[in-house]
Amino acid sequence: MVLILALLAAIALIWGLTAIVEKFRLGLSLTQAILYAPLKLIYRISDSRIGIATEATAPVIYVVTHQSRLDPALMLSLLPENTLHILDPYSARSLWLEPWRELARTIAFNAEHVFVSRRLVRVLRGKGRLAVYIPAAVEPDTRSFRLYRAVIRIAMQADARIVPIFIGNANLLPFQIDGKSPSPRRWFPRLSMSVLEPMTAEELVARNGSPATRNAHALFDRMAEARLAAIDPALTVFQAVRDAAERFGTGRIAVEDATGSQLSYRALLGGAHILGKRFSALAEPGEAVGIMLPNTNGAVLTLLGLSSAGRTAALINYTAGPANVSAAVGMAVIRTVVSSRTFVEKAALGDIVHSVEEAGAKLVWLEDLQSGITAMDKLAAALLWRYPLGRQDARKPAVILFTSGTEGLPKAAVLSSRNLIANAMQAEARITITTDDVALNVLPMFHSFGLTAGTILPLVAGMRLFLYPSPLHYKLIPQVAWRLKPTVMFGTDTFLAHYARTASEDDFSSLRFVVAGAEAVKPETRRVWRERFDTAIIEGYGLTEAAPVAAVNTAIHNRDGTVGRLLPGMKMRIEPVEGIAEGGRMFLSGPNVMMGYMSADRPGEIQPLPSGWQDTGDIVKVDREGFITITGRAARFAKIAGEMVPLGAIEMLVQSLWPEESHAVVSVPHAKRGERIVLVTTAAAADPESLRKLGKQAGLAELAVPGDIVKVAEIPVLGSGKTDYRATRELAIRHLAAGSAA
């Protein structure tokens, strides 16, 4: 009995001391502090930013992302006592919440009437405070989205500031408001308060300097930013995967490849520990080490091993040709390249290996590194898999990616761990994914889309990842999908169109959606996937320099013909372009935008972006809801007789004429007009008369209609699936010189 009394006295003492500390530290009332203290102790709450909310000048609306039943208790404990809380029916009548409800005024939530009440506007106009709890769905349905509209409307009428609040890791708690959780549940996760600065509705709407929405999207984007701000920006790629292992379960299968090999999170990080020790002996801290591997478990192990060791992974595009590979090795000052003998032999990459060695780099074979593993190595990995081998700094270079070279020579883009993890979390804050999802990634890791969206995102979000080594196996990939039953897939329009031609209706029936990027999705491709597989293609937009995703549609917020809306945390600037009446050239900034370029004339030196803005080179227009339409590339405009002609727009028109074929529109020199337009196509039936009729129907000037047609068996493509316009242009010039154009 004495022991029990002593224990209770100790608990009471700790409780009381914590309450006193929190009262003075956070400016709480004594009752608030007493009720907050046990929550603080149990969930080790990081609450340093809550002062932004409590010190906000009234009138103010606190918009809380409502994930768990615990949220109202926390907010009632922390927000000023004169705040009016609008609670859901459960929270409004739950007995266990009664002590917390006594801390402030509360009213029950009525989705049909509460937000049109003039009372709320009067409360705010009287220098009041309002706490609104909005469902946590990343992609809210129409009914939930009305709440965003209502909050914006009330804020405008009352001239109130809006403070978004997101409770990090609350989604891990076992008491979810919808009875579901996207992650394995934990009783005592560490919680953190993500609170953003107060802004008026007008300030939210005007932030991007574009004709953005005058409705709920402005608030919706701000709430997504609060979700994003809950992520620790100091995590490296290795640390983010390690934290995912601890969150989702170390024994959970993380990755599988086409050989049938499966790795749990523990095995993955243990293998990374073993390889990381080898890499520490091969390269100096911060040094770039090349990776020349297909989509396999070995590639992921190598990537994480380099991150653990504090080395930079340079992903080499082995499909780019010897000259580009040699240039890449020189630009990034790569002394060591990790590859596989089996892969080099099967892919017939002897010329690529020769170019790597000629550029001064040494090939290290993964088979040799794995064959030297000892029992002591395995023991160390089993005990120390959680701990990185080298100094971790998320601000330092993590990977070097080489741009596709669609229109010119490739460049080396340097991305930090902060860029990569931020981009993965930006995508997670916009697209609904869960630990029940199975991701099929056929895109190579040397392509930024295949690396971040196709590999890093599934690993840090707890999705089960299946890696397939080549996107070019058009007949085999549908069979893999039929066996695997993936729910999420990543691809490009070119690849998706090919898979649809060889697949049966059941092959992709398990997919919830396909995320497509790198090139515009053709209407025909979208139609085929909808009709045959009942699968939506979610089109996005990205560039290697943005790690790469910058904008994306979602399953619910989707507008065909656009690339979606800007990701949370990003800013956009549109500059006018001479000769283009609508839209302009897009510049981007954000936490995912790269550190800078490396170039051949200054190898190994990172050249930062001017003022942190990335020139995308894309011509865009933005509608009032923030959906972005790509109208062309600055480099893909031809100037003919003084007129700016968008080659991409012409290409889309030609696609509508022969939808089942592949086309590329390029410009070549012309003695009188400066340039002339050429259609390169696989359509055997393509003829100049049909093009002229199409141009007339579309209202195109005669000079914008392709005057020459080059028919080919295949359009040149890059390893990423994008059209290789540089090679296509050279092909067109050769055909014109030989007189073989129509």
PDB file of all heavy atoms in Angstrom, residues 593-620:
ATOM      1  N   VAL A 593      13.029  22.509 -54.935  1.00  0.00           N
ATOM      2  CA  VAL A 593      13.818  23.005 -56.064  1.00  0.00           C
ATOM      3  C   VAL A 593      15.303  22.828 -55.746  1.00  0.00           C
ATOM      4  O   VAL A 593      15.770  23.147 -54.654  1.00  0.00           O
ATOM      5  CB  VAL A 593      13.485  24.467 -56.371  1.00  0.00           C
ATOM      6  CG1 VAL A 593      14.424  25.039 -57.430  1.00  0.00           C
ATOM      7  CG2 VAL A 593      12.042  24.577 -56.849  1.00  0.00           C
ATOM      8  N   MET A 594      16.041  22.338 -56.722  1.00  0.00           N
ATOM      9  CA  MET A 594      17.418  21.869 -56.548  1.00  0.00           C
ATOM     10  C   MET A 594      18.378  22.909 -55.975  1.00  0.00           C
ATOM     11  O   MET A 594      18.107  24.114 -55.962  1.00  0.00           O
ATOM     12  CB  MET A 594      17.960  21.395 -57.892  1.00  0.00           C
ATOM     13  CG  MET A 594      18.187  22.521 -58.884  1.00  0.00           C
ATOM     14  SD  MET A 594      19.024  21.984 -60.378  1.00  0.00           S
ATOM     15  CE  MET A 594      19.173  23.557 -61.249  1.00  0.00           C
ATOM     16  N   MET A 595      19.550  22.425 -55.561  1.00  0.00           N
ATOM     17  CA  MET A 595      20.612  23.292 -55.072  1.00  0.00           C
ATOM     18  C   MET A 595      21.247  24.078 -56.210  1.00  0.00           C
ATOM     19  O   MET A 595      21.646  25.226 -56.032  1.00  0.00           O
ATOM     20  CB  MET A 595      21.677  22.453 -54.362  1.00  0.00           C
ATOM     21  CG  MET A 595      21.173  21.659 -53.181  1.00  0.00           C
ATOM     22  SD  MET A 595      22.448  20.573 -52.485  1.00  0.00           S
ATOM     23  CE  MET A 595      23.615  21.796 -51.837  1.00  0.00           C
ATOM     24  N   GLY A 596      21.364  23.437 -57.381  1.00  0.00           N
ATOM     25  CA  GLY A 596      21.975  24.108 -58.519  1.00  0.00           C
ATOM     26  C   GLY A 596      22.477  23.116 -59.549  1.00  0.00           C
ATOM     27  O   GLY A 596      22.310  21.905 -59.405  1.00  0.00           O
ATOM     28  N   TYR A 597      23.107  23.655 -60.604  1.00  0.00           N
ATOM     29  CA  TYR A 597      23.649  22.830 -61.682  1.00  0.00           C
ATOM     30  C   TYR A 597      25.146  22.621 -61.511  1.00  0.00           C
ATOM     31  O   TYR A 597      25.846  23.431 -60.889  1.00  0.00           O
ATOM     32  CB  TYR A 597      23.441  23.514 -63.033  1.00  0.00           C
ATOM     33  CG  TYR A 597      22.041  23.495 -63.580  1.00  0.00           C
ATOM     34  CD1 TYR A 597      21.360  24.694 -63.811  1.00  0.00           C
ATOM     35  CD2 TYR A 597      21.405  22.302 -63.920  1.00  0.00           C
ATOM     36  CE1 TYR A 597      20.086  24.711 -64.345  1.00  0.00           C
ATOM     37  CE2 TYR A 597      20.121  22.303 -64.443  1.00  0.00           C
ATOM     38  CZ  TYR A 597      19.467  23.505 -64.655  1.00  0.00           C
ATOM     39  OH  TYR A 597      18.198  23.506 -65.182  1.00  0.00           O
ATOM     40  N   MET A 598      25.642  21.537 -62.131  1.00  0.00           N
ATOM     41  CA  MET A 598      27.057  21.378 -62.433  1.00  0.00           C
ATOM     42  C   MET A 598      27.186  21.427 -63.949  1.00  0.00           C
ATOM     43  O   MET A 598      26.283  20.981 -64.661  1.00  0.00           O
ATOM     44  CB  MET A 598      27.597  20.042 -61.908  1.00  0.00           C
ATOM     45  CG  MET A 598      27.745  19.960 -60.411  1.00  0.00           C
ATOM     46  SD  MET A 598      28.392  18.339 -59.903  1.00  0.00           S
ATOM     47  CE  MET A 598      28.479  18.567 -58.126  1.00  0.00           C
ATOM     48  N   SER A 599      28.280  21.956 -64.448  1.00  0.00           N
ATOM     49  CA  SER A 599      28.459  22.063 -65.890  1.00  0.00           C
ATOM     50  C   SER A 599      29.818  21.541 -66.302  1.00  0.00           C
ATOM     51  O   SER A 599      30.723  21.382 -65.464  1.00  0.00           O
ATOM     52  CB  SER A 599      28.305  23.527 -66.342  1.00  0.00           C
ATOM     53  OG  SER A 599      29.260  24.344 -65.702  1.00  0.00           O
ATOM     54  N   ALA A 600      29.970  21.280 -67.599  1.00  0.00           N
ATOM     55  CA  ALA A 600      31.207  20.715 -68.114  1.00  0.00           C
ATOM     56  C   ALA A 600      32.377  21.678 -67.951  1.00  0.00           C
ATOM     57  O   ALA A 600      33.517  21.254 -67.746  1.00  0.00           O
ATOM     58  CB  ALA A 600      31.030  20.350 -69.588  1.00  0.00           C
ATOM     59  N   ASP A 601      32.123  22.988 -68.022  1.00  0.00           N
ATOM     60  CA  ASP A 601      33.214  23.953 -67.913  1.00  0.00           C
ATOM     61  C   ASP A 601      33.612  24.241 -66.464  1.00  0.00           C
ATOM     62  O   ASP A 601      34.676  24.807 -66.207  1.00  0.00           O
ATOM     63  CB  ASP A 601      32.835  25.263 -68.615  1.00  0.00           C
ATOM     64  CG  ASP A 601      31.565  25.883 -68.048  1.00  0.00           C
ATOM     65  OD1 ASP A 601      30.729  25.131 -67.519  1.00  0.00           O
ATOM     66  OD2 ASP A 601      31.421  27.116 -68.138  1.00  0.00           O
ATOM     67  N   ARG A 602      32.743  23.837 -65.504  1.00  0.00           N
ATOM     68  CA  ARG A 602      33.067  24.000 -64.077  1.00  0.00           C
ATOM     69  C   ARG A 602      32.709  22.716 -63.342  1.00  0.00           C
ATOM     70  O   ARG A 602      31.804  22.685 -62.517  1.00  0.00           O
ATOM     71  CB  ARG A 602      32.325  25.206 -63.497  1.00  0.00           C
ATOM     72  CG  ARG A 602      32.774  26.519 -64.112  1.00  0.00           C
ATOM     73  CD  ARG A 602      31.741  27.616 -63.940  1.00  0.00           C
ATOM     74  NE  ARG A 602      31.599  28.062 -62.571  1.00  0.00           N
ATOM     75  CZ  ARG A 602      30.744  29.016 -62.188  1.00  0.00           C
ATOM     76  NH1 ARG A 602      29.964  29.608 -63.085  1.00  0.00           N
ATOM     77  NH2 ARG A 602      30.679  29.377 -60.919  1.00  0.00           N
ATOM     78  N   PRO A 603      33.385  21.594 -63.650  1.00  0.00           N
ATOM     79  CA  PRO A 603      33.021  20.285 -63.097  1.00  0.00           C
ATOM     80  C   PRO A 603      33.108  20.247 -61.575  1.00  0.00           C
ATOM     81  O   PRO A 603      34.029  20.804 -60.971  1.00  0.00           O
ATOM     82  CB  PRO A 603      34.040  19.336 -63.737  1.00  0.00           C
ATOM     83  CG  PRO A 603      35.163  20.205 -64.183  1.00  0.00           C
ATOM     84  CD  PRO A 603      34.569  21.518 -64.521  1.00  0.00           C
ATOM     85  N   GLY A 604      32.112  19.592 -60.988  1.00  0.00           N
ATOM     86  CA  GLY A 604      32.089  19.403 -59.541  1.00  0.00           C
ATOM     87  C   GLY A 604      31.655  20.615 -58.750  1.00  0.00           C
ATOM     88  O   GLY A 604      31.471  20.532 -57.538  1.00  0.00           O
ATOM     89  N   GLU A 605      31.450  21.753 -59.406  1.00  0.00           N
ATOM     90  CA  GLU A 605      31.076  22.985 -58.714  1.00  0.00           C
ATOM     91  C   GLU A 605      29.581  23.228 -58.854  1.00  0.00           C
ATOM     92  O   GLU A 605      29.047  23.253 -59.958  1.00  0.00           O
ATOM     93  CB  GLU A 605      31.843  24.163 -59.302  1.00  0.00           C
ATOM     94  CG  GLU A 605      31.532  25.493 -58.642  1.00  0.00           C
ATOM     95  CD  GLU A 605      32.287  26.653 -59.285  1.00  0.00           C
ATOM     96  OE1 GLU A 605      33.321  26.395 -59.937  1.00  0.00           O
ATOM     97  OE2 GLU A 605      31.832  27.800 -59.151  1.00  0.00           O
ATOM     98  N   ILE A 606      28.909  23.421 -57.732  1.00  0.00           N
ATOM     99  CA  ILE A 606      27.466  23.669 -57.756  1.00  0.00           C
ATOM    100  C   ILE A 606      27.223  25.149 -58.025  1.00  0.00           C
ATOM    101  O   ILE A 606      27.703  26.020 -57.300  1.00  0.00           O
ATOM    102  CB  ILE A 606      26.801  23.258 -56.434  1.00  0.00           C
ATOM    103  CG1 ILE A 606      27.054  21.777 -56.142  1.00  0.00           C
ATOM    104  CG2 ILE A 606      25.307  23.535 -56.468  1.00  0.00           C
ATOM    105  CD1 ILE A 606      26.557  21.323 -54.790  1.00  0.00           C
ATOM    106  N   GLN A 607      26.470  25.434 -59.073  1.00  0.00           N
ATOM    107  CA  GLN A 607      26.140  26.815 -59.429  1.00  0.00           C
ATOM    108  C   GLN A 607      24.690  27.072 -59.004  1.00  0.00           C
ATOM    109  O   GLN A 607      23.756  26.609 -59.654  1.00  0.00           O
ATOM    110  CB  GLN A 607      26.311  27.008 -60.924  1.00  0.00           C
ATOM    111  CG  GLN A 607      27.725  26.703 -61.410  1.00  0.00           C
ATOM    112  CD  GLN A 607      27.808  26.486 -62.901  1.00  0.00           C
ATOM    113  OE1 GLN A 607      27.166  27.207 -63.668  1.00  0.00           O
ATOM    114  NE2 GLN A 607      28.590  25.497 -63.333  1.00  0.00           N
ATOM    115  N   PRO A 608      24.492  27.794 -57.886  1.00  0.00           N
ATOM    116  CA  PRO A 608      23.136  27.999 -57.357  1.00  0.00           C
ATOM    117  C   PRO A 608      22.241  28.754 -58.335  1.00  0.00           C
ATOM    118  O   PRO A 608      22.712  29.474 -59.220  1.00  0.00           O
ATOM    119  CB  PRO A 608      23.375  28.821 -56.085  1.00  0.00           C
ATOM    120  CG  PRO A 608      24.822  28.651 -55.769  1.00  0.00           C
ATOM    121  CD  PRO A 608      25.511  28.454 -57.076  1.00  0.00           C
ATOM    122  N   LEU A 609      20.936  28.601 -58.149  1.00  0.00           N
ATOM    123  CA  LEU A 609      19.962  29.299 -58.982  1.00  0.00           C
ATOM    124  C   LEU A 609      19.908  30.768 -58.598  1.00  0.00           C
ATOM    125  O   LEU A 609      19.977  31.107 -57.409  1.00  0.00           O
ATOM    126  CB  LEU A 609      18.570  28.681 -58.804  1.00  0.00           C
ATOM    127  CG  LEU A 609      18.406  27.240 -59.266  1.00  0.00           C
ATOM    128  CD1 LEU A 609      17.039  26.725 -58.842  1.00  0.00           C
ATOM    129  CD2 LEU A 609      18.569  27.130 -60.765  1.00  0.00           C
ATOM    130  N   PRO A 610      19.753  31.655 -59.565  1.00  0.00           N
ATOM    131  CA  PRO A 610      19.615  33.077 -59.248  1.00  0.00           C
ATOM    132  C   PRO A 610      18.367  33.326 -58.401  1.00  0.00           C
ATOM    133  O   PRO A 610      17.259  32.996 -58.809  1.00  0.00           O
ATOM    134  CB  PRO A 610      19.478  33.733 -60.638  1.00  0.00           C
ATOM    135  CG  PRO A 610      20.032  32.731 -61.599  1.00  0.00           C
ATOM    136  CD  PRO A 610      19.752  31.393 -61.008  1.00  0.00           C
ATOM    137  N   SER A 611      18.547  33.849 -57.228  1.00  0.00           N
ATOM    138  CA  SER A 611      17.442  34.205 -56.326  1.00  0.00           C
ATOM    139  C   SER A 611      16.566  33.007 -55.953  1.00  0.00           C
ATOM    140  O   SER A 611      15.451  33.185 -55.466  1.00  0.00           O
ATOM    141  CB  SER A 611      16.565  35.297 -56.959  1.00  0.00           C
ATOM    142  OG  SER A 611      17.353  36.428 -57.298  1.00  0.00           O
ATOM    143  N   GLY A 612      17.047  31.784 -56.195  1.00  0.00           N
ATOM    144  CA  GLY A 612      16.291  30.600 -55.816  1.00  0.00           C
ATOM    145  C   GLY A 612      15.151  30.229 -56.742  1.00  0.00           C
ATOM    146  O   GLY A 612      14.374  29.325 -56.442  1.00  0.00           O
ATOM    147  N   TRP A 613      15.020  30.902 -57.898  1.00  0.00           N
ATOM    148  CA  TRP A 613      13.935  30.615 -58.841  1.00  0.00           C
ATOM    149  C   TRP A 613      14.453  29.770 -59.995  1.00  0.00           C
ATOM    150  O   TRP A 613      15.495  30.068 -60.579  1.00  0.00           O
ATOM    151  CB  TRP A 613      13.341  31.920 -59.383  1.00  0.00           C
ATOM    152  CG  TRP A 613      12.494  32.644 -58.398  1.00  0.00           C
ATOM    153  CD1 TRP A 613      12.899  33.586 -57.500  1.00  0.00           C
ATOM    154  CD2 TRP A 613      11.085  32.469 -58.179  1.00  0.00           C
ATOM    155  NE1 TRP A 613      11.840  34.011 -56.735  1.00  0.00           N
ATOM    156  CE2 TRP A 613      10.714  33.348 -57.134  1.00  0.00           C
ATOM    157  CE3 TRP A 613      10.123  31.657 -58.766  1.00  0.00           C
ATOM    158  CZ2 TRP A 613       9.411  33.442 -56.668  1.00  0.00           C
ATOM    159  CZ3 TRP A 613       8.813  31.756 -58.289  1.00  0.00           C
ATOM    160  CH2 TRP A 613       8.469  32.622 -57.263  1.00  0.00           C
ATOM    161  N   GLN A 614      13.700  28.719 -60.334  1.00  0.00           N
ATOM    162  CA  GLN A 614      14.041  27.846 -61.442  1.00  0.00           C
ATOM    163  C   GLN A 614      13.241  28.230 -62.686  1.00  0.00           C
ATOM    164  O   GLN A 614      12.004  28.260 -62.651  1.00  0.00           O
ATOM    165  CB  GLN A 614      13.742  26.378 -61.086  1.00  0.00           C
ATOM    166  CG  GLN A 614      13.892  25.400 -62.240  1.00  0.00           C
ATOM    167  CD  GLN A 614      15.325  25.296 -62.739  1.00  0.00           C
ATOM    168  OE1 GLN A 614      16.260  25.306 -61.940  1.00  0.00           O
ATOM    169  NE2 GLN A 614      15.500  25.201 -64.037  1.00  0.00           N
ATOM    170  N   ASP A 615      13.938  28.527 -63.756  1.00  0.00           N
ATOM    171  CA  ASP A 615      13.289  28.806 -65.035  1.00  0.00           C
ATOM    172  C   ASP A 615      12.918  27.468 -65.663  1.00  0.00           C
ATOM    173  O   ASP A 615      13.786  26.693 -66.058  1.00  0.00           O
ATOM    174  CB  ASP A 615      14.251  29.578 -65.947  1.00  0.00           C
ATOM    175  CG  ASP A 615      13.656  29.868 -67.321  1.00  0.00           C
ATOM    176  OD1 ASP A 615      12.473  29.518 -67.553  1.00  0.00           O
ATOM    177  OD2 ASP A 615      14.375  30.428 -68.163  1.00  0.00           O
ATOM    178  N   THR A 616      11.626  27.169 -65.722  1.00  0.00           N
ATOM    179  CA  THR A 616      11.193  25.871 -66.245  1.00  0.00           C
ATOM    180  C   THR A 616      11.318  25.782 -67.759  1.00  0.00           C
ATOM    181  O   THR A 616      11.383  24.682 -68.310  1.00  0.00           O
ATOM    182  CB  THR A 616       9.724  25.596 -65.866  1.00  0.00           C
ATOM    183  OG1 THR A 616       8.872  26.513 -66.575  1.00  0.00           O
ATOM    184  CG2 THR A 616       9.511  25.747 -64.367  1.00  0.00           C
ATOM    185  N   GLY A 617      11.301  26.943 -68.426  1.00  0.00           N
ATOM    186  CA  GLY A 617      11.309  26.937 -69.886  1.00  0.00           C
ATOM    187  C   GLY A 617       9.968  26.578 -70.487  1.00  0.00           C
ATOM    188  O   GLY A 617       9.846  26.471 -71.706  1.00  0.00           O
ATOM    189  N   ASP A 618       8.947  26.429 -69.638  1.00  0.00           N
ATOM    190  CA  ASP A 618       7.623  26.050 -70.123  1.00  0.00           C
ATOM    191  C   ASP A 618       6.705  27.267 -70.187  1.00  0.00           C
ATOM    192  O   ASP A 618       6.713  28.118 -69.289  1.00  0.00           O
ATOM    193  CB  ASP A 618       6.996  24.984 -69.222  1.00  0.00           C
ATOM    194  CG  ASP A 618       7.645  23.624 -69.413  1.00  0.00           C
ATOM    195  OD1 ASP A 618       7.664  23.135 -70.549  1.00  0.00           O
ATOM    196  OD2 ASP A 618       8.145  23.072 -68.420  1.00  0.00           O
ATOM    197  N   ILE A 619       5.901  27.314 -71.238  1.00  0.00           N
ATOM    198  CA  ILE A 619       4.889  28.351 -71.393  1.00  0.00           C
ATOM    199  C   ILE A 619       3.573  27.791 -70.861  1.00  0.00           C
ATOM    200  O   ILE A 619       3.129  26.724 -71.300  1.00  0.00           O
ATOM    201  CB  ILE A 619       4.736  28.776 -72.865  1.00  0.00           C
ATOM    202  CG1 ILE A 619       6.100  29.089 -73.466  1.00  0.00           C
ATOM    203  CG2 ILE A 619       3.786  29.957 -72.977  1.00  0.00           C
ATOM    204  CD1 ILE A 619       6.856  30.195 -72.780  1.00  0.00           C
ATOM    205  N   VAL A 620       2.970  28.497 -69.906  1.00  0.00           N
ATOM    206  CA  VAL A 620       1.789  27.969 -69.238  1.00  0.00           C
ATOM    207  C   VAL A 620       0.703  29.035 -69.139  1.00  0.00           C
ATOM    208  O   VAL A 620       0.963  30.232 -69.283  1.00  0.00           O
ATOM    209  CB  VAL A 620       2.119  27.462 -67.816  1.00  0.00           C
ATOM    210  CG1 VAL A 620       3.291  26.505 -67.832  1.00  0.00           C
ATOM    211  CG2 VAL A 620       2.403  28.632 -66.878  1.00  0.00           C
TER     212      VAL A 620
END
